[in-house]
Amino acid sequence: MATRKVTLSLDSGALEFAERAAKAHGISVSSWLSKAARREAVRTGYTPQRPEPVFAESDEAERSAAEKDLRAQG
């Protein structure tokens, strides 16, 4: 999947949480935050109106994985 470099501001508590969670899962903070953002978007009902063709296949796979994770969590 293609990535874009962005600047984010997080409060210190959120950053610490993300760092610990990422370390526990053996992934980078950036990767953990990306996955968390996708899970939250799915959880709150976001559905892309017109996915970009270049990213559509990988986005759909990640969206499906996020939905599966949410169902498994109950």
Side-chain angles (χ1 to χ4, degrees):
M1 175 191 298
T3 59
R4 291 183 356 195
K5 185 174 182 176
V6 298
T7 300
L8 297 174
S9 297
L10 301 172
D11 64 66
S12 59
L15 179 57
E16 183 179 342
F17 183 83
E19 288 171 336
R20 288 182 181 195
K23 184 176 181 179
H25 288 91
I27 60 177
S28 70
V29 173
S30 293
S31 180
W32 189 89
L33 287 170
S34 291
K35 290 177 182 200
R38 287 184 183 279
R39 281 191 306 267
E40 184 62 10
V42 168
R43 188 188 71 77
T44 59
Y46 173 75
T47 303
Q49 299 302 313
R50 294 184 327 188
E52 295 180 34
V54 175
F55 302 113
E57 187 175 306
S58 60
D59 285 351
E60 179 61 25
E62 288 191 24
R63 185 189 63 75
S64 294
E67 287 177 344
K68 182 179 176 183
D69 288 345
L70 285 172
R71 283 192 297 274
Q73 293 173 9

Coordinates of all heavy atoms in Angstrom, one line a residue:
M1 N 0.8 -1.2 0.0 CA 0.0 0.0 0.0 C 0.9 1.2 0.0 O 1.9 1.3 0.7 CB -0.9 0.0 1.2 CG -1.7 1.3 1.3 SD -2.6 1.6 2.9 CE -3.7 0.2 2.9
A2 N 0.5 2.2 -0.7 CA 1.2 3.5 -0.8 C 1.0 4.3 0.5 O -0.1 4.2 1.1 CB 0.8 4.3 -2.0
T3 N 2.0 5.0 0.9 CA 1.9 5.8 2.1 C 2.1 7.2 1.8 O 2.8 7.5 0.8 CB 2.8 5.3 3.2 OG1 4.2 5.5 2.8 CG2 2.6 3.9 3.7
R4 N 1.6 8.1 2.6 CA 1.8 9.5 2.4 C 2.3 10.0 3.8 O 1.9 9.6 4.8 CB 0.5 10.3 2.1 CG 0.0 10.0 0.8 CD -1.2 10.8 0.4 NE -1.8 11.7 1.5 CZ -3.0 12.2 1.4 NH1 -3.8 12.0 0.4 NH2 -3.4 13.0 2.4
K5 N 3.3 10.9 3.7 CA 3.9 11.4 4.9 C 3.0 12.6 5.4 O 2.7 13.5 4.6 CB 5.3 11.9 4.7 CG 6.0 12.4 5.9 CD 7.4 12.7 5.7 CE 8.1 13.2 6.9 NZ 9.5 13.4 6.8
V6 N 2.6 12.5 6.7 CA 1.7 13.6 7.2 C 2.3 14.0 8.6 O 3.0 13.2 9.2 CB 0.2 13.2 7.4 CG1 -0.4 12.9 6.0 CG2 0.1 12.0 8.3
T7 N 1.9 15.1 9.1 CA 2.2 15.5 10.5 C 1.0 15.5 11.3 O 0.0 16.0 10.9 CB 2.8 16.9 10.5 OG1 4.0 17.0 9.6 CG2 3.2 17.4 11.9
L8 N 1.1 14.8 12.4 CA -0.1 14.7 13.4 C 0.3 15.2 14.7 O 1.5 15.1 15.1 CB -0.5 13.2 13.6 CG -1.0 12.5 12.3 CD1 -1.2 11.0 12.7 CD2 -2.3 13.1 11.8
S9 N -0.6 15.7 15.4 CA -0.4 16.2 16.8 C -1.2 15.3 17.7 O -2.4 15.2 17.5 CB -0.8 17.6 17.0 OG 0.0 18.5 16.2
L10 N -0.6 14.6 18.7 CA -1.3 13.8 19.6 C -1.0 14.3 21.0 O 0.2 14.7 21.3 CB -0.8 12.3 19.5 CG -1.0 11.6 18.2 CD1 -0.3 10.3 18.2 CD2 -2.5 11.5 17.8
D11 N -2.0 14.2 21.9 CA -1.6 14.5 23.3 C -0.7 13.4 23.8 O -0.6 12.3 23.3 CB -2.9 14.7 24.1 CG -3.7 13.4 24.3 OD1 -3.2 12.4 24.9 OD2 -4.8 13.4 23.8
S12 N 0.0 13.7 24.9 CA 1.1 12.8 25.4 C 0.5 11.5 25.8 O 1.1 10.4 25.6 CB 1.9 13.5 26.5 OG 1.0 13.8 27.6
G13 N -0.7 11.5 26.4 CA -1.3 10.2 26.8 C -1.7 9.3 25.6 O -1.4 8.1 25.6
A14 N -2.2 9.9 24.5 CA -2.6 9.1 23.4 C -1.3 8.6 22.7 O -1.3 7.4 22.2 CB -3.4 10.0 22.4
L15 N -0.3 9.4 22.6 CA 1.0 8.9 22.0 C 1.6 7.8 22.8 O 2.0 6.8 22.3 CB 2.0 10.1 21.9 CG 3.3 9.7 21.3 CD1 3.2 9.0 19.9 CD2 4.3 10.9 21.3
E16 N 1.6 7.9 24.2 CA 2.1 6.8 25.0 C 1.3 5.5 24.8 O 1.9 4.4 24.7 CB 2.1 7.2 26.5 CG 2.7 6.2 27.4 CD 2.7 6.6 28.8 OE1 2.5 7.8 29.1 OE2 2.8 5.7 29.7
F17 N 0.0 5.7 24.8 CA -0.9 4.5 24.5 C -0.5 3.9 23.2 O -0.4 2.6 23.1 CB -2.3 4.9 24.6 CG -3.3 3.8 24.4 CD1 -3.6 3.0 25.5 CD2 -3.8 3.5 23.2 CE1 -4.5 1.9 25.3 CE2 -4.7 2.4 23.0 CZ -5.1 1.6 24.1
A18 N -0.4 4.7 22.1 CA -0.1 4.1 20.8 C 1.2 3.5 20.8 O 1.4 2.4 20.2 CB -0.2 5.3 19.8
E19 N 2.2 4.1 21.4 CA 3.6 3.5 21.4 C 3.6 2.1 22.1 O 4.2 1.2 21.7 CB 4.5 4.4 22.1 CG 4.9 5.6 21.3 CD 5.7 6.7 22.1 OE1 5.6 6.7 23.3 OE2 6.4 7.5 21.4
R20 N 2.9 2.0 23.3 CA 2.8 0.8 24.0 C 2.1 -0.3 23.2 O 2.5 -1.5 23.2 CB 2.2 1.0 25.4 CG 3.1 1.7 26.3 CD 2.4 1.9 27.7 NE 3.2 2.6 28.6 CZ 3.1 2.7 29.9 NH1 2.1 2.0 30.4 NH2 3.9 3.4 30.6
A21 N 0.9 0.1 22.6 CA 0.1 -0.9 21.9 C 0.9 -1.4 20.7 O 0.9 -2.6 20.4 CB -1.2 -0.2 21.5
A22 N 1.6 -0.4 20.0 CA 2.4 -0.8 18.8 C 3.5 -1.8 19.2 O 3.7 -2.8 18.5 CB 2.9 0.4 18.1
K23 N 4.2 -1.5 20.3 CA 5.2 -2.4 20.7 C 4.7 -3.7 21.1 O 5.3 -4.8 20.7 CB 5.9 -1.7 22.0 CG 7.1 -2.5 22.4 CD 7.8 -1.8 23.6 CE 9.1 -2.6 24.0 NZ 9.8 -1.9 25.1
A24 N 3.6 -3.8 21.8 CA 3.0 -5.1 22.1 C 2.6 -5.9 20.9 O 2.6 -7.1 21.0 CB 1.7 -4.8 23.0
H25 N 2.3 -5.3 19.8 CA 1.9 -6.0 18.6 C 3.1 -6.1 17.6 O 2.9 -6.7 16.5 CB 0.8 -5.2 17.9 CG -0.5 -5.4 18.6 ND1 -1.0 -4.5 19.5 CD2 -1.5 -6.3 18.5 CE1 -2.2 -4.9 20.0 NE2 -2.5 -6.0 19.4
G26 N 4.2 -5.6 18.0 CA 5.4 -5.8 17.2 C 5.4 -5.0 15.9 O 6.0 -5.4 14.9
I27 N 4.7 -3.8 15.9 CA 4.6 -3.0 14.7 C 5.0 -1.6 15.0 O 5.1 -1.2 16.2 CB 3.2 -3.1 14.0 CG1 2.1 -2.6 15.0 CG2 2.9 -4.5 13.6 CD1 0.7 -2.5 14.4
S28 N 5.2 -0.8 14.0 CA 5.6 0.6 14.2 C 4.3 1.4 14.7 O 3.2 1.0 14.5 CB 6.0 1.2 12.9 OG 5.0 1.4 12.0
V29 N 4.6 2.5 15.3 CA 3.5 3.4 15.8 C 2.7 3.9 14.6 O 1.5 3.9 14.6 CB 4.1 4.6 16.6 CG1 3.0 5.6 16.9 CG2 4.8 4.1 17.8
S30 N 3.4 4.2 13.5 CA 2.6 4.6 12.3 C 1.7 3.6 11.8 O 0.5 3.8 11.5 CB 3.6 5.0 11.2 OG 4.3 6.1 11.5
S31 N 2.1 2.3 11.8 CA 1.3 1.2 11.3 C 0.1 1.0 12.3 O -1.0 0.8 11.9 CB 2.1 -0.1 11.2 OG 1.3 -1.1 10.8
W32 N 0.4 1.1 13.6 CA -0.6 0.9 14.6 C -1.7 2.0 14.4 O -2.9 1.7 14.5 CB 0.0 0.8 16.0 CG -1.1 0.4 17.0 CD1 -1.4 -0.8 17.4 CD2 -2.0 1.3 17.7 NE1 -2.4 -0.8 18.3 CE2 -2.8 0.5 18.5 CE3 -2.1 2.7 17.7 CZ2 -3.8 1.0 19.3 CZ3 -3.1 3.2 18.5 CH2 -3.9 2.4 19.3
L33 N -1.2 3.2 14.3 CA -2.2 4.3 14.2 C -3.0 4.2 12.9 O -4.2 4.5 12.9 CB -1.5 5.7 14.2 CG -0.9 6.1 15.5 CD1 0.0 7.3 15.4 CD2 -2.0 6.4 16.5
S34 N -2.4 3.8 11.8 CA -3.2 3.6 10.6 C -4.3 2.5 10.8 O -5.4 2.7 10.4 CB -2.2 3.1 9.4 OG -1.4 4.2 9.1
K35 N -3.9 1.4 11.4 CA -4.9 0.4 11.6 C -6.0 0.8 12.6 O -7.2 0.5 12.4 CB -4.2 -0.9 12.2 CG -3.3 -1.6 11.1 CD -2.6 -2.8 11.7 CE -1.7 -3.3 10.6 NZ -1.4 -4.7 10.8
A36 N -5.6 1.6 13.6 CA -6.6 2.1 14.6 C -7.5 3.0 13.9 O -8.7 3.0 14.2 CB -5.9 2.7 15.8
A37 N -7.0 3.9 13.0 CA -7.9 4.9 12.3 C -8.9 4.1 11.4 O -10.1 4.5 11.4 CB -7.0 5.8 11.5
R38 N -8.4 3.1 10.7 CA -9.3 2.3 9.9 C -10.4 1.6 10.7 O -11.6 1.6 10.4 CB -8.6 1.3 9.0 CG -7.8 2.0 7.9 CD -7.1 0.9 7.1 NE -6.3 1.5 6.0 CZ -6.8 2.0 4.9 NH1 -8.1 1.9 4.7 NH2 -6.0 2.5 4.0
R39 N -10.0 1.0 11.8 CA -10.9 0.3 12.7 C -12.0 1.3 13.2 O -13.2 0.9 13.2 CB -10.2 -0.4 13.9 CG -9.6 -1.7 13.5 CD -9.1 -2.4 14.8 NE -8.3 -1.6 15.7 CZ -7.0 -1.6 15.6 NH1 -6.3 -2.3 14.8 NH2 -6.3 -0.8 16.5
E40 N -11.6 2.4 13.6 CA -12.5 3.4 14.2 C -13.4 3.9 13.1 O -14.6 4.1 13.3 CB -11.8 4.6 14.8 CG -12.6 5.6 15.5 CD -13.5 5.1 16.6 OE1 -13.3 3.9 17.1 OE2 -14.4 5.8 17.1
A41 N -12.9 4.1 11.9 CA -13.8 4.6 10.8 C -14.9 3.5 10.5 O -16.0 3.9 10.3 CB -12.9 4.8 9.5
V42 N -14.5 2.3 10.4 CA -15.4 1.2 10.2 C -16.4 1.1 11.4 O -17.6 1.0 11.2 CB -14.7 -0.2 10.0 CG1 -15.7 -1.3 10.1 CG2 -13.9 -0.2 8.7
R43 N -15.9 1.2 12.6 CA -16.8 1.1 13.8 C -17.9 2.2 13.8 O -19.0 2.0 14.2 CB -16.0 1.2 15.0 CG -16.7 0.9 16.3 CD -15.9 1.2 17.6 NE -15.7 2.6 17.8 CZ -16.7 3.4 18.3 NH1 -17.9 3.0 18.5 NH2 -16.4 4.7 18.4
T44 N -17.5 3.4 13.3 CA -18.4 4.5 13.3 C -19.2 4.6 12.1 O -20.0 5.6 11.9 CB -17.7 5.8 13.6 OG1 -16.7 6.0 12.6 CG2 -17.0 5.8 15.0
G45 N -19.1 3.6 11.2 CA -20.0 3.6 10.0 C -19.5 4.3 8.8 O -20.2 4.4 7.8
Y46 N -18.2 4.7 8.7 CA -17.7 5.3 7.5 C -17.6 4.4 6.4 O -17.0 3.3 6.5 CB -16.3 6.0 7.8 CG -15.7 6.5 6.5 CD1 -16.2 7.7 6.0 CD2 -14.7 5.8 5.9 CE1 -15.7 8.2 4.8 CE2 -14.2 6.3 4.7 CZ -14.6 7.5 4.2 OH -14.1 8.0 3.0
T47 N -18.1 4.7 5.2 CA -17.9 4.0 4.0 C -17.5 5.0 2.9 O -18.1 6.0 2.7 CB -19.2 3.3 3.6 OG1 -19.7 2.5 4.6 CG2 -19.1 2.5 2.3
P48 N -16.3 4.7 2.3 CA -15.9 5.6 1.3 C -16.9 5.8 0.2 O -17.5 4.8 -0.3 CB -14.6 5.0 0.7 CG -14.3 3.8 1.6 CD -15.5 3.6 2.4
Q49 N -17.1 7.0 -0.3 CA -18.1 7.3 -1.3 C -17.5 6.8 -2.7 O -18.2 6.1 -3.4 CB -18.4 8.8 -1.4 CG -19.1 9.3 -0.1 CD -20.3 8.5 0.2 OE1 -21.2 8.3 -0.6 NE2 -20.5 8.1 1.4
R50 N -16.3 7.2 -3.0 CA -15.6 6.8 -4.2 C -14.2 6.5 -3.9 O -13.3 7.4 -4.0 CB -15.7 7.9 -5.3 CG -17.1 8.2 -5.7 CD -17.2 9.2 -6.8 NE -16.1 10.2 -6.7 CZ -16.0 11.3 -7.4 NH1 -16.8 11.6 -8.3 NH2 -15.0 12.1 -7.2
P51 N -13.8 5.2 -3.6 CA -12.4 4.9 -3.4 C -11.6 5.2 -4.6 O -12.0 5.0 -5.7 CB -12.4 3.5 -3.0 CG -13.7 2.9 -3.5 CD -14.7 4.1 -3.6
E52 N -10.4 5.7 -4.3 CA -9.4 5.9 -5.4 C -9.1 4.5 -6.0 O -8.7 3.6 -5.3 CB -8.1 6.6 -4.9 CG -8.4 8.0 -4.4 CD -7.1 8.6 -3.9 OE1 -6.0 8.3 -4.4 OE2 -7.2 9.4 -2.9
P53 N -9.1 4.4 -7.3 CA -8.8 3.1 -8.0 C -7.5 2.5 -7.6 O -7.4 1.3 -7.4 CB -8.8 3.4 -9.5 CG -9.6 4.7 -9.6 CD -9.4 5.4 -8.3
V54 N -6.5 3.3 -7.4 CA -5.1 2.7 -7.0 C -5.2 2.0 -5.7 O -4.5 1.1 -5.5 CB -4.1 3.9 -7.0 CG1 -2.7 3.4 -6.6 CG2 -4.0 4.5 -8.4
F55 N -6.0 2.6 -4.8 CA -6.0 2.0 -3.4 C -7.2 1.2 -3.1 O -7.3 0.6 -2.1 CB -6.0 3.2 -2.4 CG -4.8 4.1 -2.6 CD1 -5.0 5.4 -3.0 CD2 -3.5 3.6 -2.3 CE1 -3.9 6.2 -3.1 CE2 -2.4 4.5 -2.5 CZ -2.6 5.8 -2.9
A56 N -8.1 1.1 -4.0 CA -9.4 0.4 -3.8 C -9.3 -1.0 -3.3 O -9.9 -1.4 -2.3 CB -10.3 0.5 -5.0
E57 N -8.4 -1.8 -4.0 CA -8.3 -3.2 -3.6 C -7.7 -3.4 -2.2 O -8.2 -4.1 -1.4 CB -7.4 -3.9 -4.6 CG -7.4 -5.4 -4.4 CD -6.6 -6.1 -5.5 OE1 -6.9 -5.9 -6.7 OE2 -5.7 -6.8 -5.2
S58 N -6.6 -2.7 -1.9 CA -6.0 -2.8 -0.6 C -6.9 -2.2 0.5 O -7.0 -2.7 1.6 CB -4.6 -2.2 -0.5 OG -4.7 -0.8 -0.8
D59 N -7.6 -1.1 0.2 CA -8.5 -0.5 1.2 C -9.7 -1.5 1.5 O -10.1 -1.6 2.6 CB -9.1 0.8 0.6 CG -8.1 2.0 0.7 OD1 -7.1 1.8 1.3 OD2 -8.5 3.0 0.1
E60 N -10.2 -2.1 0.5 CA -11.3 -3.0 0.7 C -10.8 -4.2 1.6 O -11.6 -4.6 2.5 CB -11.8 -3.6 -0.6 CG -13.0 -4.6 -0.5 CD -14.2 -4.0 0.2 OE1 -14.4 -2.8 0.2 OE2 -15.0 -4.8 0.8
A61 N -9.6 -4.7 1.3 CA -9.1 -5.8 2.1 C -8.9 -5.4 3.6 O -9.3 -6.1 4.5 CB -7.8 -6.3 1.5
E62 N -8.4 -4.2 3.8 CA -8.2 -3.7 5.2 C -9.6 -3.4 5.8 O -9.7 -3.7 7.0 CB -7.4 -2.4 5.2 CG -5.9 -2.8 4.9 CD -5.0 -1.6 5.2 OE1 -5.3 -0.7 6.0 OE2 -3.9 -1.6 4.6
R63 N -10.5 -2.9 5.1 CA -11.9 -2.6 5.6 C -12.5 -4.0 6.1 O -13.0 -4.1 7.2 CB -12.8 -1.9 4.6 CG -14.1 -1.5 5.2 CD -15.1 -1.0 4.1 NE -15.4 -2.1 3.2 CZ -16.2 -3.1 3.4 NH1 -16.8 -3.3 4.5 NH2 -16.5 -4.0 2.4
S64 N -12.4 -5.0 5.2 CA -12.9 -6.3 5.5 C -12.3 -6.9 6.8 O -12.9 -7.5 7.6 CB -12.8 -7.2 4.4 OG -13.5 -6.8 3.3
A65 N -10.9 -6.7 6.9 CA -10.2 -7.2 8.0 C -10.6 -6.5 9.3 O -10.8 -7.1 10.3 CB -8.7 -7.1 7.8
A66 N -10.8 -5.2 9.2 CA -11.3 -4.4 10.4 C -12.7 -4.8 10.8 O -12.9 -5.0 12.0 CB -11.3 -2.9 10.0
E67 N -13.6 -5.1 9.8 CA -14.9 -5.6 10.2 C -14.8 -6.9 10.8 O -15.5 -7.2 11.8 CB -15.8 -5.6 9.0 CG -16.2 -4.2 8.5 CD -17.0 -4.3 7.2 OE1 -17.0 -5.3 6.5 OE2 -17.7 -3.3 6.9
K68 N -14.0 -7.8 10.3 CA -13.8 -9.1 10.9 C -13.3 -9.1 12.3 O -13.8 -9.7 13.2 CB -12.9 -10.0 10.0 CG -12.7 -11.4 10.5 CD -11.8 -12.2 9.6 CE -11.5 -13.6 10.1 NZ -10.5 -14.3 9.3
D69 N -12.3 -8.2 12.6 CA -11.8 -8.0 13.9 C -12.9 -7.5 14.9 O -13.0 -8.0 16.0 CB -10.6 -7.0 13.9 CG -9.4 -7.5 13.3 OD1 -9.3 -8.8 13.1 OD2 -8.5 -6.7 13.0
L70 N -13.7 -6.6 14.4 CA -14.8 -6.0 15.3 C -15.8 -7.1 15.6 O -16.2 -7.2 16.7 CB -15.4 -4.8 14.6 CG -14.7 -3.5 14.6 CD1 -15.4 -2.5 13.7 CD2 -14.5 -3.0 16.0
R71 N -16.1 -7.9 14.6 CA -17.1 -9.0 14.9 C -16.5 -10.0 15.9 O -17.2 -10.5 16.8 CB -17.5 -9.7 13.6 CG -18.5 -8.9 12.7 CD -19.1 -9.8 11.6 NE -18.1 -10.2 10.7 CZ -17.7 -9.6 9.6 NH1 -18.2 -8.4 9.4 NH2 -16.7 -10.1 8.8
A72 N -15.2 -10.3 15.8 CA -14.6 -11.3 16.7 C -14.5 -10.7 18.1 O -14.5 -11.5 19.0 CB -13.1 -11.6 16.1
Q73 N -14.4 -9.4 18.2 CA -14.4 -8.8 19.6 C -15.7 -8.8 20.2 O -15.8 -8.5 21.4 CB -13.8 -7.4 19.5 CG -12.4 -7.4 19.1 CD -11.9 -5.9 18.8 OE1 -12.6 -5.0 19.1 NE2 -10.7 -5.8 18.3
G74 N -16.8 -9.0 19.4 CA -18.1 -9.0 20.0 C -18.7 -7.7 20.0 O -19.4 -7.1 20.5

